[in-house]
Amino acid sequence: MKVLKFGGTSVGTPQRMEQLLTIIESQPSDMHLVVLSAVSGTTNALEHISQLYLDQNKQEAKKAIDVLYDSYKTFIKELFTKDEFLENAQNIIDKHFNLLYELAKDLFTKVEHRIVLAQGELLSTALFHCHLKERNVASVLLPALDFMRMDQENEPDVDFIQANAKAALNKYPSETLFITQGYICRNAFGEVDNLRRGGSDYTASLLGAVLQAQEIQIWTDIDGFHNNDPRFVQNTKPLSHLSFDEAAELAYFGAKILHPQSVFPAKRFNVPVRLLDTMELSAKGTLISSASQSDNQIVAIAAKDGITAIRINSSRMLLAYGFLRRVFEVFERYKTPIDMITTSEVAVSLTIDDTSNLDKIVKELEYFGSVELDYDQSIVCIVGDFKRNTHGHATIVSEAVKHIPIRMISYGGSEHNISILVPYSYKVEALRSLHNRLF
């Protein structure tokens, strides 16, 4: 089995949705499980509609639904050529948009908000399933809500997913092509929920992992991981191979091609992930697996924006045990992840990208000492093979950015990552200087 995930741009037009079958058939396997995102732009539109409902602005919500509804009417007219299947497609979109309209009649809460967001993937998979029927291609539409579930900690319930996904497939022993939704799931209370933005990658990785797929393929509009950000740096190159750890570092620290959490299920079950380009089918893409080919080399650079640096100065740290634990507990209480951390005898500096509870966090941290904040920072991450017996990498990185003000440096916490924190205004200069020096 191969699991193939197609993102929003890959199903963003009728022409691209038509192309999916060609791509699927080009990937030899005894079985294909296709995971689809919502049509490009749909999730943003649904977010807007949901916010209007939450704001009690029902009239504007109806107008926004009308606009999206019209776009889908146009979409199916271009996708379907036979009246019978065009009528079926119209019934599909009518069903989902009637639900959106009906929400104006009742109290709108976060539960309804998540139901609204789920409509994008439900629409794209139903329309693709109908499209395959028109082309006389046998397929089975598997509702992800039947087997994708989160536990009470909002983490995937891997055992449940594995048991129920296998059971769903086993109901159709003679079928070879299955379609399901990315992104959406149920939470521990059985309510419709989701895996957050980029969650379709996560769905594909989880399913490919627990089903022990031959390969997980993430199809998008980029030809794999590049060794730097092509939006800001010229002459970047796609990487043919990355280890799971290297890919995880790049994804977490800014490379947008892959959802950061997607690497971990695949690594745990040792299922390779391949990143491929729907716009350039001949491109080899990037293979992510347990094998590392970097071998004492720097392979790529990525950057993550929207970082806030927090420095806590405290004489209480001097010779005090348990201090860092108490600091970390503050962030744990507010479910705020920490990206980087450096310490000295009298201060600790760390970074976060989620500032939704920053005021409360700072108020608690002030119990330990004075707190300083630096906003609008960027983490620039250099990824490669930095095992303990290697040498010289830190010097090369430092030389490349010696003309740039560096707020923090993190080295040694991982064998695959050197990170520096710089003001956002210096990010592009840092990327270019590192690229020129390293590659």
Side-chain angles (χ1 to χ4, degrees):
M1 173 199 283
K2 287 185 179 178
V3 175
L4 285 68
K5 176 265 178 179
F6 294 96
T9 55
S10 300
V11 293
T13 66
Q15 294 73 29
R16 290 179 182 172
M17 187 171 281
E18 287 175 353
Q19 185 188 21
L20 296 192
L21 182 60
T22 301
I23 295 174
I24 294 165
E25 291 177 339
S26 72
Q27 300 300 312
S29 179
D30 59 339
M31 185 185 298
H32 295 95
L33 174 57
V34 177
V35 177
L36 296 186
S37 297
V39 170
S40 180
T42 299
T43 302
N44 286 339
L46 293 172
E47 283 273 17
H48 178 58
I49 291 165
S50 183
Q51 189 58 54
L52 290 170
Y53 271 137
L54 287 169
D55 293 339
Q56 296 295 309
N57 196 340
K58 296 181 180 180
Q59 193 61 37
E60 288 301 315
K62 181 183 180 303
K63 291 179 182 178
I65 296 170
D66 289 342
V67 171
L68 187 60
Y69 195 9
D70 288 341
S71 72
Y72 270 88
K73 290 176 183 176
T74 302
F75 189 98
I76 63 172
K77 286 178 182 177
E78 295 180 20
L79 181 62
F80 295 93
T81 57
K82 299 177 182 177
D83 290 342
E84 173 191 354
F85 293 98
L86 177 59
E87 183 180 349
N88 291 342
Q90 184 65 54
N91 290 336
I92 289 169
I93 66 171
D94 286 348
K95 169 188 169 185
H96 291 281
F97 280 92
N98 285 339
L99 182 149
L100 295 177
Y101 287 122
E102 288 294 315
L103 290 171
K105 298 179 179 179
D106 298 308
L107 180 67
F108 196 88
T109 68
K110 290 184 178 180
V111 173
E112 284 73 27
H113 167 71
R114 294 191 291 265
I115 291 172
V116 168
L117 296 186
Q119 302 311 304
E121 280 70 21
L122 293 171
L123 276 164
S124 65
T125 49
L127 291 177
F128 183 58
H129 182 52
C130 186
H131 168 66
L132 291 180
K133 287 181 179 178
E134 185 181 50
R135 296 176 66 169
N136 201 29
V137 175
S139 66
V140 177
L141 181 58
L142 298 178
L145 296 177
D146 288 350
F147 47 82
M148 294 301 299
R149 191 174 79 174
M150 307 292 276
D151 61 23
Q152 292 185 345
E153 299 298 322
N154 272 335
E155 294 294 333
D157 188 336
V158 174
D159 291 339
F160 181 93
I161 294 170
Q162 184 175 49
N164 288 275
K166 285 183 176 179
L169 291 169
N170 289 339
K171 290 179 181 177
Y172 307 95
S174 62
E175 299 293 340
T176 60
L177 177 55
F178 297 87
I179 307 161
T180 195
Q181 300 84 24
Y183 178 62
I184 66 174
C185 63
R186 292 192 186 275
N187 58 31
F189 304 102
E191 301 164 339
V192 175
D193 210 322
N194 57 69
L195 300 172
R196 313 298 177 259
R197 286 303 180 101
S200 292
D201 290 356
Y202 202 12
T203 300
S205 182
L206 285 163
L207 289 173
V210 300
L211 295 172
Q212 284 290 280
Q214 174 188 349
E215 190 172 86
I216 300 162
Q217 297 184 351
I218 307 295
W219 288 84
T220 181
D221 56 355
I222 305 172
D223 58 343
F225 271 114
H226 277 233
N227 62 352
N228 208 327
D229 193 328
R231 296 172 299 174
F232 306 116
V233 180
Q234 294 181 346
N235 301 319
T236 65
K237 295 179 180 179
L239 301 168
S240 61
H241 191 276
L242 287 169
S243 70
F244 286 125
D245 290 331
E246 290 165 345
E249 298 279 11
L250 285 172
Y252 184 76
F253 285 105
K256 302 297 185 184
I257 187 173
L258 185 66
H259 189 274
Q261 291 175 297
S262 301
V263 178
F264 301 115
K267 178 183 177 181
R268 175 181 169 186
F269 289 85
N270 196 26
V271 176
V273 178
R274 195 180 297 272
L275 308 181
L276 295 162
D277 186 357
T278 53
M279 310 301 170
E280 191 177 347
L281 300 185
S282 61
K284 294 182 179 179
T286 301
L287 176 66
I288 302 167
S289 71
S290 57
S292 175
Q293 297 184 358
S294 56
D295 191 24
N296 195 23
Q297 306 232 347
I298 292 172
V299 297
I301 306 165
K304 183 177 182 180
D305 299 328
I307 302 298
T308 297
I310 305 172
R311 178 190 286 121
I312 307 130
N313 295 281
S314 175
S315 59
R316 298 184 188 187
M317 284 187 66
L318 190 62
L319 301 178
Y321 61 86
F323 179 84
L324 285 177
R325 174 183 57 79
R326 293 193 294 274
V327 169
F328 289 152
E329 284 174 347
V330 174
F331 292 89
E332 182 181 2
R333 278 195 290 275
Y334 294 102
K335 299 187 184 306
T336 302
I338 296 170
D339 292 319
M340 292 174 63
I341 180 167
T342 61
T343 65
S344 72
E345 275 304 319
V346 293
V348 55
S349 290
L350 47 83
T351 67
I352 61 173
D353 62 356
D354 179 1
T355 58
S356 55
N357 289 302
L358 182 60
D359 291 343
K360 296 174 183 176
I361 289 170
V362 169
K363 186 175 181 180
E364 291 201 30
L365 291 176
E366 286 174 342
Y367 169 78
F368 303 113
S370 63
V371 178
E372 300 174 24
L373 301 175
D374 287 327
Y375 301 98
D376 296 325
Q377 305 287 301
S378 293
I379 295 175
V380 179
C381 172
I382 301 93
V383 169
D385 177 18
F386 306 134
K387 293 186 175 67
R388 292 169 194 160
N389 60 347
T390 64
H391 55 84
H393 292 126
T395 302
I396 296 171
V397 169
S398 298
E399 280 290 321
V401 293
K402 63 184 180 182
H403 60 296
I404 293 172
I406 297 175
R407 173 69 172 76
M408 289 173 61
I409 300 176
S410 176
Y411 180 39
S414 162
E415 292 186 341
H416 301 282
N417 173 10
I418 301 173
S419 291
I420 60 174
L421 184 71
V422 300
Y424 171 74
S425 57
Y426 286 90
K427 180 193 78 169
V428 173
E429 176 63 23
L431 290 174
R432 291 172 178 170
S433 295
L434 285 163
H435 191 85
N436 291 336
R437 180 65 179 85
L438 301 177
F439 304 125

